[in-house]
Amino acid sequence: MAAGSVTLGIDLGTTSVKVALVEAAPGDPSGFVVLASCARAARAEVAAQSAAAGPQGQEQDVRRIIQALNECLAALPRQQLRKVCSIGVSGQMHGVMFWKTGQGCEWTEGGAAPVFEPRAVSQLVTWQDGRCSSKFLASLPQPESHLSVATGFGCATIFWLLKNSPESLKSYDVAGTIHDYVVAMLCGLTRPLMSDQNAASWGYFNTRRQSWNLEILRAAGFPVHLLPDIAEPGSVAGRTSRAWFEIPKGTPVGVALGDLQASVYSCMAQRTDAVLNISTSVQLVASMPSGFQPAQTPDPTAPVAYFPYFDRTYLAVAASLNGGNVLATFVRMLVQWMADLGLEVEESTVYSCMIQAAAQQRDTCLTITPTVLGERHLPDQLASVTRISSSDLSLGHVTRALCRGIIQNLHSMLPFQQLREWGVERVIGSGSALSRNEVLKQEVQRAFPFPVSYGQDVDAAVGAALVMLQRNFNQQES
C-alpha cells in the first residue's frame, strides 16, 4: 500500500454510524494506521410505515442515519479530509430502502461544507424486520441460489410490500441497501450499484452466475426494475459528484460492501483465523479455501450459510440474530420493572451495574437460551430459562447466564470442533458488544479451544477503507 494515501472508511450499522481515516503504514506493505475515527448512535428506529407490518416491523429513518453520518464527518480533522484519495463504504446487510431517481437527496451548503440530505426516500426496512411469517415465506417461489430467503431479506420484504402495501412502492423506482444509497448519492448515480455481497444478502441472487433470479422473480410478479445493477466488491462505483466535507470532488468511491465482509477484511490476518463479531447480532466466520463452491440447493434449516467474500471466495458464517440486542432487551426490561416500581434509572447505569455484578459471579448453574428473536434457521424458536434455583437469582447470576447463553447458542449453530476441522487456529474478536463487555469476553475465552485476540471497535469502517487502499496499491503495482 502506498504510504501517504488516506482513505475514508464508512460503516452504516444498525445502531451506530462509524467513520475512520486510514493511511497506509510507511515501509509495511500490509500495515495501516488509523489517523482518526468517530462513531455516533443513529437512534433511527421508527414505527413501520405500513400498519399491516404490525409490531414485527423494524424500520429506521434514513434522515437520522445520514444526520449521524454528517456528524461523524464533521468531527474528523479537516486537514486530513482534504488528503482523502478514496472512500470505502459498508453497512448493515439484508435491509432495503427505496428512492426516486434524481430526487434521492438534496445537496446543501451545511455551514463550512456541502452535505446531502435525503429527500424522496422511504424508510429503511432492516434485517431485524419480522413481518414475513414462516407461512408467507413458504408461499414465495424457490430461489435459484445456495442461500435461503428469510424475513428481513430485501427481496422477501419487497414481496411482502407487493402483497400487503403495493401503493408504498409506487412512489419509487430504485431500491438498495442504506450503504448502496449513500454511494449512489455521493456519486450522483442514476441507478444504484450493488456488490454480490449485498445482493446475496437480499436473496434470489445466484453467486456463481453473478445475477438475480430474474425469470423466477418476473414469473411471480416481482418488480425487477427495482433491483440494482451488480458490480465487483472492491471496484469503484463512481466518483464524488461534489466536494463533501473537504473531500475533493472526483474522489473515487467503492461499491458498497457488506459490514460482515468489511469487518472480516479488517482483522482476518490469516486463513487459519476465525472472526467472532458480536455487535447488535453475532457472526462467527471462517474462510473457505479457494475454489470452494456451496451446494446450489438452499437449506432453510442449515445454521451455517456461505456468503460471498472477495475474488469469488466464500465465508462460512453462523449468523445469530441474538447478540448485543438481547442484552439491550434485558436492560430495557429491568428499567421498565423499576419504572413500574416507581424508580427511575438510566439504561447506561443498569448496564454497567449488571456487567459488574456478573464479573464478580464467575459461574452459575442457571441456563438461559437467549433466542428472543428466533434464528433464521429456527424462526419460531423463543427464549427460555432453565435450571432455576433460589441461589441463582441474583443480577450477577442472570447476567452471567445470559452472556454464556449467547456464546452457547452460537456453539450450537457452528460447533467449535468444525472450526478445528477447517484448520482454524485462532479467533479474532470484534464488535462493540464484545469490546465493551468483559463478561462476554470471559465466556468467549471459556468456550473456544483456541487463542482469542481482539480487534478495534470500528472494524467495518476500517475494513471498507482497507479494501480501497488495497485497490490503490494494486493499481500502482500494475
Side-chain angles (χ1 to χ4, degrees):
M1 299 182 194
S5 58
V6 177
T7 295
L8 171 67
I10 297 170
D11 178 49
L12 304 160
T14 309
T15 55
S16 64
V17 173
K18 304 170 188 175
V19 298
L21 286 170
V22 179
E23 183 178 34
D28 182 358
S30 61
F32 64 93
V33 178
V34 178
L35 302 173
S37 64
C38 180
R40 288 283 187 273
R43 298 189 178 89
E45 287 74 19
V46 287
Q49 285 181 316
S50 172
Q56 300 299 319
Q58 292 283 332
E59 298 187 12
Q60 293 185 336
D61 186 339
V62 172
R63 290 167 181 80
R64 291 187 201 168
I65 296 171
I66 302 306
Q67 182 182 345
L69 174 61
N70 289 337
E71 290 174 5
C72 285
L73 267 291
L76 295 179
R78 293 175 65 178
Q79 70 275 17
Q80 299 286 8
L81 287 171
R82 293 188 190 109
K83 299 178 185 176
V84 168
C85 60
S86 58
I87 301 172
V89 184
S90 70
Q92 49 174 306
M93 296 159 68
H94 307 293
V96 58
M97 61 171 290
F98 308 91
W99 64 96
K100 185 82 171 172
T101 301
Q103 300 174 38
C105 76
E106 182 179 328
W107 284 86
T108 60
E109 295 292 333
V115 297
F116 72 88
E117 296 177 352
R119 281 296 175 260
V121 302
S122 71
Q123 292 179 177
L124 168 67
V125 183
T126 76
W127 60 271
Q128 292 179 302
D129 188 84
R131 72 186 69 193
C132 297
S133 65
S134 298
K135 182 179 178 182
F136 177 79
L137 291 169
S139 73
L140 299 181
Q142 179 83 346
E144 188 185 332
S145 168
H146 73 279
L147 293 167
S148 303
V149 179
T151 187
F153 282 27
C155 284
T157 300
I158 294 173
F159 265 125
W160 188 95
L161 291 170
L162 194 64
K163 179 180 179 181
N164 296 281
S165 184
E167 70 285 348
S168 66
L169 297 175
K170 292 177 181 175
S171 304
Y172 312 108
D173 54 8
V174 287
T177 64
I178 180 66
H179 31 311
D180 295 325
Y181 165 77
V182 167
V183 169
M185 296 306 105
L186 288 177
C187 301
L189 301 180
T190 305
R191 283 188 58 78
L193 290 172
M194 180 182 264
S195 69
D196 62 349
Q197 298 173 356
N198 289 311
S201 81
W202 267 22
Y204 293 97
F205 182 80
N206 188 298
T207 55
R208 284 194 187 183
R209 296 179 188 162
Q210 291 288 293
S211 62
W212 298 104
N213 298 168
L214 290 178
E215 289 185 15
I216 294 171
L217 292 170
R218 281 196 189 101
F222 187 95
V224 295
H225 67 277
L226 292 174
L227 296 172
D229 296 331
I230 302 301
E232 191 81 18
S235 65
V236 170
R239 294 175 179 269
T240 50
S241 60
R242 301 168 185 246
W244 185 49
F245 283 100
E246 306 291 336
I247 299 170
K249 177 183 176 181
T251 301
V253 183
V255 174
L257 310 171
D259 53 358
L260 168 70
Q261 288 88 342
S263 290
V264 169
Y265 195 88
S266 75
C267 57
M268 185 185 277
Q270 308 288 337
R271 282 196 173 273
T272 53
D273 289 340
V275 175
L276 171 65
N277 183 64
I278 307 182
S279 296
T280 305
S281 57
V282 184
Q283 299 91 27
L284 179 58
V285 186
S287 177
M288 302 308 289
S290 182
F292 167 84
Q293 286 291 339
Q296 282 303 288
T297 307
D299 180 2
T301 64
V304 176
Y306 298 96
F307 283 104
Y309 191 40
F310 294 96
D311 303 320
R312 299 290 188 270
T313 61
Y314 288 85
L315 298 172
V317 184
S320 170
L321 301 177
N322 301 276
N325 47 10
V326 172
L327 293 167
T329 300
F330 181 55
V331 169
R332 286 194 298 271
M333 180 191 79
L334 293 175
V335 169
Q336 184 58 53
W337 281 11
M338 284 185 270
D340 293 343
L341 294 169
L343 302 170
E344 281 192 28
V345 61
E346 294 288 332
E347 287 187 6
S348 58
T349 303
V350 172
Y351 185 83
S352 59
C353 287
M354 75 186 215
I355 298 303
Q356 189 176 359
Q360 293 170 357
Q361 183 61 54
R362 303 291 295 189
D363 203 3
T364 183
C365 291
L366 193 67
T367 300
I368 297 179
T369 302
T371 46
V372 288
L373 296 170
E375 295 292 4
R376 291 195 179 105
H377 64 288
L378 294 169
D380 299 322
Q381 179 169 313
L382 297 174
S384 63
V385 184
T386 57
R387 301 184 68 193
I388 304 169
S389 72
S390 58
S391 60
D392 289 352
L393 294 178
S394 70
L395 182 61
H397 274 285
V398 176
T399 306
R400 171 68 65 178
L402 189 56
C403 290
R404 183 171 296 174
I406 290 170
I407 305 303
Q408 288 178 337
N409 179 55
L410 191 64
H411 176 68
S412 72
M413 294 173 66
L414 177 51
F416 306 146
Q417 183 59 35
Q418 178 66 70
L419 295 177
R420 274 197 195 281
E421 292 173 14
W422 285 340
V424 169
E425 297 174 0
R426 180 177 69 154
V427 173
I428 308 292
S430 69
S432 54
L434 185 57
S435 65
R436 298 168 190 164
N437 186 328
E438 199 56 41
V439 179
L440 262 183
K441 285 183 180 179
Q442 291 169 2
E443 291 302 324
V444 168
Q445 296 278 7
R446 179 178 176 273
F448 281 86
F450 313 103
V452 182
S453 61
Y454 293 96
Q456 299 177 66
D457 190 16
V458 288
D459 287 352
V462 170
L466 290 178
V467 169
M468 294 303 289
L469 270 182
Q470 187 64 51
R471 176 195 163 274
N472 297 344
F473 174 72
N474 292 344
Q475 281 191 328
Q476 290 164 4
E477 287 289 289
S478 60

